[in-house]
Amino acid sequence: MARIAFIMLCHKDAPGVIAQARRLTASGDFVSIHFDGNSDPADFAEIWSALSDNPSVTFANRRYRCGWGEWSLVAATLEAVRAAVAAFPNASHFYMLSGDCLPVKTAEYAHDFLDSNDCDYIEHNDFFASDWIKTGLKEERLIYRYWFNERTQPKLYYASLAIQQKLMLTREVPSDLQVMIGSQWWCLRRQTIEKVLAFCDSRRDVMRFFATTWIPDETFFQTIVPHVVPRNELRNRTLTYLIFTDYGMPVTFYNDQYDLLLRQDYIFARKISAEALELRERLGALWADEGVHFPTSNEGAGVFRFLTGRGRVGRRFSPRFWEDDTALGRDKSLLLIVSKKWHVAKRLTQGLREQTDIPAVDYLFNEDQAHLPDMGGVENTVSKRERHRRAVIKLLFDQFGTNRLAFCLDSSALPLIQDFMAEKTDTRILMIETDFHQDYLRGHIARVGLAGASAQPDVVERLLPIVRRDLEYEANRLRDMEFPRFYTISPTAAPEANAAALAQAFDLEPEAALALAQIDHLFSD
């Protein structure tokens, strides 16, 4: 059976550290503690007094004064790892934890999980090719040297960096390494840890290099482990559940999120609020349970993005250069078909192609295939189309040899709609009103990843009214903009009423508009 040596990096909450260590060792596992050298000596004395006589607990031989972004965090981790390797010869796995982590599964589940998968769990994304770093320094983290901490010594930090940049004092990455990046919360097998420590002992050049990089806790183990272990024995993920905000800060969990945490496909979670006493008590007791079944749905990250993104409307303070130089022209007509139900809008565009001379494409800013003609490669990716949207529309006018063009937009694409309505073209909107019945909402929740296929019914039921309100808000927000030349068709309206709206929107003869309004199953799901 797997036996885990937990590598705990802590800097506060002595009672919580003690409780965590006792809980983890009671299940037959081990704990190696590094308590920050900057922390209150009385806290460390309390931890030492409570745990030093526990044979399943050991302490790092040296306590580093740790600082965010510094090598000291990696040095502290290595110190605790070496202590664990020496003290616990029966440990089969080594699992990184912080003082804010708590289990979201039982020890029984964790041991069975590790026994069934002979591999290492560590995020390792290519440093240069991935988008793991969202903002701030990227290549500069490696090619310059960092001796000062940005948070505690900002003047020295930025002065040192500026001098190196001005004098071009760059350095090369060790030539035999592919630098990788990812979360510091890994779980590695014993043989992997032994290979990493042997590498550290033999490659002092690599140790010197990483010792002066910036935020090495995101790159050191993530680079060394794939260097010493075959890639087919690695899983590019962490077993510790965490969500980051748009600002790069970890999301904190509270008492009412117990069920959510248990449904995620992870063994631990961080970070648990120090004030969430009920959650801490429940998760702590969970580790010792037996025979618990854990249905997982992994909807947490999707729900967080959905809820935090509601109501945000981006503003742009100046036009992009490619948009400023690609005005569509006053002699053009844009016909925007807006619908949340894509299949309904695409039935209408198909009818336009078959029954009229109006060129009509589908959701060109959402789908790879949208009935687009060959435009020399500009149309190959959705992101490229949206980035150069005016250029794409101009090309479509040229390709079709017409001054009229119809295409579909999702009702959530208000910034795009506003952009096109601001053009000096004859732009019209046809909105297809939608009935959001329960089955459609459940399908929508699954399609956008708010809940997985294995999500419990009560999870979906709680999401239904929220999602319904959000979709209705999208539609109402568009109506409230009071755009000119705004028309609607509805499944509850008579074909003649819908035909009148279609005739105005597309400048069609009454007979042609009625034929479109009477398309078989136009509004059907």
Side-chain angles (χ1 to χ4, degrees), residues 4 11 23 51 69 82 160 218 228 233 334 350 376 379 382 394 397 425 428 433 436 444 491 499 501 508 520-521:
I4 308 167
H11 67 281
R23 177 188 309 120
L51 298 175
R82 291 184 186 276
S160 169
E218 294 180 350
V228 299
E233 297 180 20
L334 282 181
Q350 182 179 349
E379 79 285 2
V382 170
K394 286 189 72 175
F397 279 127
T425 57
R428 308 179 189 188
E433 294 186 345
F436 300 120
H444 179 76
L508 296 174
D520 289 341
H521 310 295

Side-chain angles (χ1 to χ4, degrees), residues 290-337:
E290 295 181 354
V292 181
H293 174 61
F294 294 98
T296 58
S297 56
N298 266 356
E299 81 278 11
V303 170
F304 176 79
R305 287 192 300 270
F306 170 71
L307 293 176
T308 56
R310 294 176 69 208
R312 292 186 180 179
V313 179
R315 294 184 179 272
R316 221 177 44 238
F317 295 101
S318 63
R320 276 85 167 177
F321 70 89
W322 59 80
E323 297 175 343
D324 196 37
D325 294 338
T326 54
L328 299 178
R330 296 177 183 273
D331 61 331
K332 303 292 195 299
S333 292
L334 282 181
L335 313 171
L336 312 183
I337 302 170

Side-chain angles (χ1 to χ4, degrees), residues 316 320 322-323 364-366 378-379 381-393 409 412-413 415-417 419-420:
R316 221 177 44 238
R320 276 85 167 177
W322 59 80
E323 297 175 343
L364 74 162
F365 299 117
N366 299 96
V378 175
E379 79 285 2
T381 65
V382 170
S383 60
K384 185 184 290 187
R385 292 177 210 158
E386 182 167 351
R387 191 164 60 247
H388 305 292
R389 47 186 171 271
R390 282 174 172 73
V392 169
I393 297 300
L409 289 169
S412 64
L416 281 176
I417 296 170
D419 270 358
F420 287 122

Side-chain angles (χ1 to χ4, degrees), residues 389-424:
R389 47 186 171 271
R390 282 174 172 73
V392 169
I393 297 300
K394 286 189 72 175
L395 282 173
L396 283 171
F397 279 127
D398 293 341
Q399 289 294 103
F400 288 121
T402 180
N403 287 341
R404 290 204 294 173
L405 175 68
F407 60 90
C408 303
L409 289 169
D410 190 277
S411 56
S412 64
L414 185 59
L416 281 176
I417 296 170
Q418 289 174 303
D419 270 358
F420 287 122
M421 291 302 292
E423 274 291 319
K424 294 180 172 61

Side-chain angles (χ1 to χ4, degrees), residues 205-502:
D205 60 321
V206 174
M207 302 296 283
R208 287 192 298 271
F209 171 79
F210 277 104
T212 50
T213 59
W214 185 236
I215 319 182
D217 54 297
E218 294 180 350
T219 55
F220 179 76
F221 287 98
Q222 297 80 354
T223 298
I224 305 306
V225 170
H227 186 76
V228 299
V229 175
R231 296 296 174 93
N232 64 347
E233 297 180 20
L234 301 178
R235 300 295 179 268
N236 189 9
R237 60 160 297 187
T238 173
L239 297 181
T240 299
Y241 181 61
L242 66 163
I243 304 176
F244 284 99
T245 68
D246 293 344
Y247 304 100
M249 301 299 292
V251 172
T252 300
F253 298 104
Y254 296 93
N255 288 334
D256 58 347
Q257 293 168 315
Y258 176 82
D259 293 328
L260 172 76
L261 291 174
L262 264 60
R263 289 194 298 268
Q264 309 314 304
D265 186 21
Y266 296 86
I267 295 176
F268 281 78
R270 81 175 298 264
K271 44 196 286 177
I272 310 300
S273 171
E275 288 75 37
L277 301 181
E278 179 186 346
L279 179 61
R280 285 178 166 270
E281 182 179 353
R282 295 179 72 185
L283 292 178
L286 176 69
W287 182 252
D289 279 352
E290 295 181 354
V292 181
H293 174 61
F294 294 98
T296 58
S297 56
N298 266 356
E299 81 278 11
V303 170
F304 176 79
R305 287 192 300 270
F306 170 71
L307 293 176
T308 56
R310 294 176 69 208
R312 292 186 180 179
V313 179
R315 294 184 179 272
R316 221 177 44 238
F317 295 101
S318 63
R320 276 85 167 177
F321 70 89
W322 59 80
E323 297 175 343
D324 196 37
D325 294 338
T326 54
L328 299 178
R330 296 177 183 273
D331 61 331
K332 303 292 195 299
S333 292
L334 282 181
L335 313 171
L336 312 183
I337 302 170
V338 180
S339 178
K340 177 58 72 176
K341 290 188 175 180
W342 294 8
H343 53 282
V344 176
K346 288 195 281 188
R347 289 191 193 115
L348 183 58
T349 54
Q350 182 179 349
L352 285 171
R353 289 190 293 267
E354 293 175 351
Q355 301 179 31
T356 75
D357 60 354
I358 300 174
V361 297
D362 297 334
Y363 286 85
L364 74 162
F365 299 117
N366 299 96
E367 297 181 300
D368 289 332
Q369 301 299 322
H371 281 282
L372 295 175
D374 183 359
M375 296 189 293
V378 175
E379 79 285 2
N380 283 350
T381 65
V382 170
S383 60
K384 185 184 290 187
R385 292 177 210 158
E386 182 167 351
R387 191 164 60 247
H388 305 292
R389 47 186 171 271
R390 282 174 172 73
V392 169
I393 297 300
K394 286 189 72 175
L395 282 173
L396 283 171
F397 279 127
D398 293 341
Q399 289 294 103
F400 288 121
T402 180
N403 287 341
R404 290 204 294 173
L405 175 68
F407 60 90
C408 303
L409 289 169
D410 190 277
S411 56
S412 64
L414 185 59
L416 281 176
I417 296 170
Q418 289 174 303
D419 270 358
F420 287 122
M421 291 302 292
E423 274 291 319
K424 294 180 172 61
T425 57
D426 174 22
T427 306
R428 308 179 189 188
I429 299 175
L430 177 73
M431 182 175 178
I432 303 176
E433 294 186 345
T434 303
D435 176 25
F436 300 120
H437 55 75
Q438 298 289 80
D439 288 341
Y440 173 80
L441 292 174
R442 291 188 179 91
H444 179 76
I445 288 169
R447 285 190 295 273
V448 300
L450 288 177
S454 58
Q456 295 298 295
D458 64 308
V459 174
V460 177
E461 292 303 315
R462 286 199 299 271
L463 286 172
L464 285 175
I466 299 173
V467 174
R468 178 187 295 279
R469 286 195 299 270
D470 195 65
L471 297 184
E472 290 173 348
Y473 169 74
E474 284 181 4
N476 291 330
R477 185 176 58 165
L478 184 56
R479 293 188 187 94
D480 292 342
M481 296 300 295
E482 297 184 348
F483 290 119
R485 300 181 296 279
F486 182 92
Y487 311 97
T488 63
I489 61 174
S490 169
T492 60
E496 292 75 15
N498 287 334
L502 290 167

Side-chain angles (χ1 to χ4, degrees), residues 58-224:
T58 191
F59 292 84
N61 292 323
R62 175 182 174 183
R63 290 174 58 203
Y64 285 84
R65 294 180 177 273
C66 296
W68 184 88
E70 293 181 9
W71 170 254
S72 54
L73 286 171
V74 178
T77 303
L78 287 171
E79 199 69 32
V81 166
R82 291 184 186 276
V85 169
F88 310 128
N90 294 328
S92 60
H93 293 77
F94 294 75
Y95 194 125
M96 272 282 293
L97 287 179
S98 77
D100 294 323
C101 296
L102 280 172
V104 294
K105 298 290 186 292
T106 61
E108 178 184 61
Y109 179 99
H111 296 149
D112 290 345
F113 181 90
L114 295 177
D115 281 336
S116 63
N117 299 275
D118 186 21
C119 59
D120 299 304
Y121 296 90
I122 182 169
E123 282 190 347
H124 54 286
N125 306 291
D126 186 277
F127 184 92
F128 298 100
S130 72
D131 64 347
W132 207 87
I133 299 174
K134 302 297 184 184
T135 60
L137 303 178
K138 189 168 184 179
E139 182 184 16
E140 294 87 348
R141 292 191 187 188
L142 306 178
I143 63 174
Y144 298 115
R145 297 165 178 83
Y146 297 85
W147 298 283
F148 307 102
N149 189 285
E150 181 189 23
R151 295 185 175 181
T152 59
Q153 304 164 296
K155 292 183 178 179
L156 291 173
Y157 173 92
Y158 286 108
S160 169
L161 179 58
I163 291 170
Q164 293 180 75
Q165 290 173 327
K166 184 175 182 178
L167 299 179
M168 295 185 288
L169 299 177
T170 60
R171 59 177 174 175
E172 298 292 329
V173 176
S175 58
D176 61 329
L177 292 183
Q178 179 185 5
V179 180
M180 311 294 277
I181 190 167
S183 167
Q184 71 179 109
W185 311 109
W186 39 256
C187 177
L188 305 175
R189 297 167 297 173
R190 186 181 193 91
Q191 60 265 37
T192 299
I193 285 290
E194 290 172 345
K195 290 177 182 177
V196 169
L197 295 179
F199 181 92
C200 294
D201 293 338
S202 64
R203 292 294 302 272
R204 307 312 299 175
D205 60 321
V206 174
M207 302 296 283
R208 287 192 298 271
F209 171 79
F210 277 104
T212 50
T213 59
W214 185 236
I215 319 182
D217 54 297
E218 294 180 350
T219 55
F220 179 76
F221 287 98
Q222 297 80 354
T223 298
I224 305 306

